[in-house]
Amino acid sequence: MAGPFAGLRVVEIATEISGPYATKLFVDLGAEVTKIEPPGGDPLRRWGPFPGGVTDPERCGLFEYLNAGKRCITLDLGDPAVRDLIAQADLLVEDLPPGRLERLGQLSPNLVVLRISPFGQTGPWRDRPASPLTLQAVSGWISSRDPDRPPVQAGARIAEYVAGAYGALGALTALRQARAGRVTEVDVSQFESLLSTLPYPMLMAERMRSLGLPANLRSSPMLGVVRAADGWVGINCLTGQHWLDVCAMLGLPEYGEHQIAIMLGGPERAEFFAKAAPLLAERTVAETVELSQALRIPAAPVNDGATVLDCPQYAKRGFFVDGGGFWWPGSPFRFSASVTPLRKSEPKIAATLRSRPEPFAGLRVLDLSTFWAGAYLTCYLGAFGANIVKVESIQRPDGHRYSGAFPFEGEDWYERSAIWQATNLNKLDLTLDLTSQRGRDIARRLAAQADVVVENFSPRVVEHFGLDYASLVSLKPDVIMVRMPGFGLEGPWRDYVGWALNIEQTSGMTAATGYADGPPCNLQGPADPIVGVHAGIALLAALEHRRRTGEGQLIEVAQIEVAACVTAEPVIEYSMNGVVRSREGNRQRGYLQGVYPTGEDGVWVALSVPHCDALDHDAFDQMVGSWTRTQTAAAIVETLRGQGIPAEQLTAADQMYDVPQLDARGFYEQFEHPVTGPRRYPGWPFRITPGPARHHRMAPPTLGQHNDEILRGLGFSDDDLAELRDRRVIGERVLNA
């Protein structure tokens, strides 16, 4: 018995985090991975943490987490044994400088090659020097969180996992359409990977400008990260009702009408927090979370490497596992069919799935998702050929439609959200009132025809509608259901409400980000697409299991578990040595680096220099900052790059459409929407060659745009459709909009 990708032979020539994380996911799914290390070993072996803090390349906790289950061998790339291993492989994963391994990638005519590099294998920035910090800077991940300090990076090396997850998704997608006798390449850009996980800042900047508002207008999540009696807690209002409930909970109802002003930092903000802070400090983290959740307010503990291990939801679900004397995250996904029979005569996946015009052509998907994580997955499937039917209702349309759209724009304001549109390309849109029997009956008829059903509500929602996995299996025994609850299908927090910030706070992302002497800092919401990417990997595994066995299954992707998988180091370090490392601001071991002001108001640059023992970091910051303040950003970047030093100006939202590297690689694609007209939407952060020439296939739909098309396909007549509209089971306009 073995995982769904048993028999898949992978060779890894990659170091640090991105490439090894991709292959770690393959190991989790049963693949055989051979890791080729250079004679000096993967540099990550010397990173730590180490037992007792004593450097030992054979006992690096983070290296062991990323490389457990692999066969690790040390070879020079010129050794003939490397050529032999690649010639026998199905998949090669490499992260060397572009062009370095091109000839080795041609050793097997049926090989899929996953190449991960800072900016991709093509384009004018292909050979540009980069570091993890400068990649965050140019992609928009570094943002201002304290007006009195430099903008700060995401901590715990979280960003470095992102390209690995995209790489795994891209490689498994390529395996579904690899062509016999020809190498298939998957070219992953780490820069584009980070850009792809932001909530479409370039589209929001364009929207704000069109409304006569500042293009880079930013607001603070409310209440954000606040102090409790025994630690930090995140209270994350997503709607106006959440805000009213928080004000009522704190006994401050008079501020209920001032949400926007407080979010934007108006004078009311300081006044409100001066009154709220003492009230919040009276309760423990657990008490605040419990009370908030009882009122359906999204709240979560801001866990660090110590408290995350005591978190009741992780503990009850047995998520963290013993890595041999310390703890690390378990798998980011759970399968109801956990093993796949391995037949000796089983042909390789790459030999059985050849010559598909698109990787997911013919796949029928019923999309019951809301907001971002689930919709991101179905957008991806639709882009590569799947037939996606997205279900909303005129009573309660997808809440993401209200993100970045405003009632003053007119009766159709819910059609104007650029964020919703960018996540719902490539889909047909159907409205169904699932509170009605007729609506549920139609949904069940669609489910009976679907290969895959996707949802990411809190668990009780689809169960209430009779659309849980047990119900779907009775309609279609081989259905695959992907459920993506925030906190999991089981456990004491099963029914907690939450969105990206809750996931990042619970998992440790937030606690690792910020300055040592300041509060934990929220990221910008990358958890949703990161979860969507992992769900895509899990779905590809389930599709392979069904190909081999004919069986469908339930996939559970708990969002807090995915986020913990890409925030592994704090847990490993604490469980190994009892240490909770301080937040590091913009610093990272191995580099002298930081984010520095320029001679231009509000313009910052990030730069990294390999560590020099002759300087400490404070002296370096002082020296570099005194120089950068006298220069323009362009002059700083040009001077440093000329010396091979990674340097980037921090990219603002309104600059993201003006990046020559993105234009050269065709990252954006324009589609015409019937209400909002043409918009340029981001694509995916990799190119599959040979493969689909475009990132997307269809413009985003309007509400209920495909009602007649979908329902006529089920046999409904014109009279039937009229009756459904009359009963408001279907419709094309939001009720009471």
Side-chain angles (χ1 to χ4, degrees):
M1 306 294 282
F5 290 114
L8 184 71
R9 293 171 296 186
V10 182
V11 171
E12 174 200 318
I13 305 176
T15 61
E16 300 287 351
I17 291 176
S18 292
Y21 185 66
T23 54
K24 175 205 179 301
L25 294 172
F26 297 146
V27 170
D28 288 347
L29 297 170
E32 174 191 306
V33 177
T34 300
K35 179 182 179 72
I36 300 175
E37 297 187 65
D42 185 336
L44 192 66
R45 286 184 178 275
R46 293 178 289 280
W47 172 263
F50 304 103
V54 178
T55 301
D56 181 352
E58 298 300 320
R59 303 187 68 192
C60 170
L62 188 58
F63 179 89
E64 290 184 26
Y65 165 66
L66 291 169
N67 295 285
K70 302 176 187 177
R71 181 167 70 108
C72 297
I73 59 176
T74 301
L75 290 172
D76 186 277
L77 291 183
D79 193 310
V82 175
R83 301 172 62 88
D84 293 341
L85 285 167
I86 294 174
Q88 298 170 21
D90 303 299
L91 172 64
L92 169 64
V93 178
E94 63 97 348
D95 67 353
L96 293 170
R100 174 84 181 274
L101 280 184
E102 284 185 2
R103 284 188 297 173
L104 285 178
Q106 304 295 325
L107 290 176
S108 170
N110 300 320
L111 191 66
V112 172
V113 182
L114 169 59
R115 303 188 189 279
I116 301 175
S117 61
F119 297 103
Q121 304 292 314
T122 61
W125 291 8
R126 186 185 99 147
D127 300 313
R128 194 162 171 159
S131 72
L133 179 72
T134 62
L135 284 170
Q136 285 199 44
V138 74
S139 66
W141 266 53
I142 296 178
S143 60
S144 180
R145 307 170 200 271
D146 180 340
D148 299 322
R149 306 186 81 159
V152 67
Q153 67 178 339
R157 303 186 68 171
I158 296 162
E160 296 173 56
Y161 290 81
V162 175
Y166 276 110
L169 179 63
L172 294 179
T173 301
L175 283 165
R176 288 182 61 85
Q177 58 124 62
R179 300 178 185 177
R182 180 169 181 179
V183 171
T184 300
E185 294 201 6
V186 182
D187 170 12
V188 177
S189 161
Q190 293 172 311
F191 164 46
E192 293 171 17
S193 296
L194 295 181
L195 190 59
S196 294
T197 60
L198 296 179
Y200 310 106
M202 70 297 295
L203 281 161
M204 282 301 298
E206 191 177 63
R207 281 278 289 144
M208 294 300 101
R209 191 184 292 114
S210 72
L211 295 171
L213 299 171
N216 295 318
L217 183 67
R218 291 182 61 88
S219 62
S220 300
M222 297 302 297
L223 300 174
V225 175
V226 293
R227 272 205 180 275
D230 59 345
W232 298 95
V233 64
I235 301 177
N236 311 296
C237 297
L238 188 60
T239 68
Q241 187 61 53
H242 289 151
W243 172 252
L244 293 174
D245 292 340
V246 165
C247 291
M249 179 179 74
L250 294 174
L252 299 172
E254 65 272 23
Y255 289 94
E257 298 180 357
H258 302 289
Q259 180 183 13
I260 302 301
I262 294 172
M263 286 175 64
L264 296 177
E268 299 91 343
R269 181 182 180 88
E271 180 183 305
F272 171 80
F273 274 99
K275 294 181 179 180
L279 301 172
L280 291 161
E282 293 174 356
R283 298 190 182 104
T284 66
V285 170
E287 289 169 343
T288 299
V289 170
E290 184 176 358
L291 177 59
S292 299
Q293 288 287 345
L295 296 170
R296 309 302 286 167
I297 298 167
V302 179
N303 284 321
D304 57 26
T307 60
V308 73
L309 288 168
D310 296 325
C311 176
Q313 187 66 3
Y314 286 120
K316 181 65 175 178
R317 290 169 58 82
F319 172 65
F320 292 102
V321 298
D322 188 345
F326 56 92
W327 297 89
W328 64 41
S331 174
F333 20 69
R334 302 183 185 208
F335 301 93
S336 62
S338 59
V339 292
T340 304
L342 179 60
R343 306 170 193 154
K344 292 183 178 179
S345 60
E346 177 71 33
K348 295 191 301 182
I349 177 177
T352 59
L353 297 171
R354 303 285 183 193
S355 303
R356 292 175 183 240
E358 292 174 298
F360 303 117
L363 192 71
R364 296 164 298 181
V365 180
L366 181 60
D367 180 0
L368 302 176
S369 67
T370 186
F371 284 93
W372 200 6
Y376 194 80
L377 166 60
T378 53
C379 181
Y380 179 79
L381 298 173
F384 287 90
N387 177 26
I388 313 293
V389 174
K390 180 176 179 65
V391 177
E392 317 180 65
S393 72
I394 60 175
Q395 292 81 8
R396 289 192 66 180
D398 186 340
H400 216 195
R401 285 184 175 274
Y402 302 121
S403 299
F406 307 97
F408 66 76
E409 295 183 86
E411 290 185 356
D412 60 357
W413 67 281
Y414 53 85
E415 297 286 10
R416 298 178 178 275
S417 169
I419 294 177
W420 186 90
Q421 290 179 10
T423 312
N424 288 281
L425 296 147
N426 317 308
K427 303 177 186 181
L428 306 179
D429 196 278
L430 171 70
T431 53
L432 286 177
D433 178 10
L434 295 179
T435 66
S436 71
Q437 187 61 49
R438 293 292 301 277
R440 291 193 296 273
D441 289 344
I442 294 170
R444 288 172 64 84
R445 289 179 63 179
L446 289 167
Q449 298 180 356
D451 298 296
V452 178
V453 178
V454 177
E455 71 89 16
N456 66 310
F457 287 91
S458 59
R460 62 184 181 178
V461 174
V462 294
E463 293 166 5
H464 175 72
F465 292 139
L467 294 170
D468 55 302
Y469 178 64
S471 300
L472 296 181
V473 167
S474 68
L475 301 171
K476 193 170 191 295
D478 67 346
V479 70
I480 297 171
M481 187 175 195
V482 183
R483 302 194 65 181
M484 305 164 64
F487 297 92
L489 297 178
E490 303 295 339
W493 293 5
R494 172 185 190 270
D495 294 318
Y496 273 18
V497 295
W499 54 295
L501 296 186
N502 297 76
I503 306 309
E504 293 161 10
Q505 291 157 1
T506 302
S507 64
M509 286 184 174
T510 301
T513 300
Y515 291 97
D517 57 350
C521 292
N522 290 321
L523 282 74
Q524 298 181 63
D528 276 285
I530 292 172
V531 169
V533 169
H534 283 77
I537 295 165
L539 175 58
L540 280 158
L543 289 169
E544 172 61 7
H545 175 87
R546 189 170 68 178
R547 182 189 71 81
R548 290 186 174 189
T549 68
E551 297 176 348
Q553 61 181 301
L554 170 65
I555 303 169
E556 179 189 359
V557 184
Q559 297 183 31
I560 61 166
E561 294 179 353
V562 172
C565 284
V566 301
T567 320
E569 187 177 352
V571 171
I572 294 171
E573 183 151 27
Y574 178 78
S575 62
M576 180 181 284
N577 295 318
V579 172
V580 176
R581 185 177 292 274
S582 298
R583 288 179 286 279
E584 297 181 314
N586 290 314
R587 298 182 178 183
Q588 180 172 311
R589 283 168 277 166
Y591 291 101
L592 290 169
Q593 64 176 30
V595 175
Y596 303 99
T598 69
E600 304 164 88
D601 186 40
V603 179
W604 300 82
V605 294
L607 60 93
S608 300
V609 178
H611 196 281
C612 172
D613 292 334
L615 282 175
D616 67 29
H617 218 129
D618 289 336
F620 181 81
D621 286 345
Q622 184 176 2
M623 177 183 68
V624 172
S626 63
W627 172 65
T628 61
R629 285 186 177 90
T630 68
Q631 306 288 317
T632 66
I636 295 165
V637 168
E638 182 179 3
T639 298
L640 294 177
R641 282 198 205 129
Q643 300 175 54
I645 296 172
E648 298 287 353
Q649 178 180 332
L650 270 61
T651 301
D654 63 347
Q655 300 169 319
M656 291 178 178
Y657 277 129
D658 303 317
V659 179
Q661 179 69 4
L662 298 177
D663 289 340
R665 288 172 58 83
F667 181 69
Y668 296 110
E669 287 187 353
Q670 182 167 300
F671 287 88
E672 183 87 17
H673 186 272
V675 174
T676 56
R679 279 179 172 159
R680 296 175 68 200
Y681 299 97
W684 310 104
F686 51 77
R687 310 291 175 277
I688 299 176
T689 307
R694 303 189 64 184
H695 286 289
H696 299 291
R697 296 188 303 136
M698 296 163 52
T702 56
L703 184 69
Q705 178 179 338
H706 304 97
N707 284 342
D708 290 7
E709 176 185 339
I710 295 167
L711 295 177
R712 285 198 175 102
L714 293 177
F716 285 80
S717 67
D718 289 348
D719 289 343
D720 295 330
L721 296 175
E723 180 189 4
L724 290 170
R725 283 191 173 88
D726 185 58
R727 294 188 177 189
R728 296 180 174 176
V729 176
I730 67 171
E732 289 75 35
R733 298 193 64 81
V734 172
L735 290 180
N736 304 317

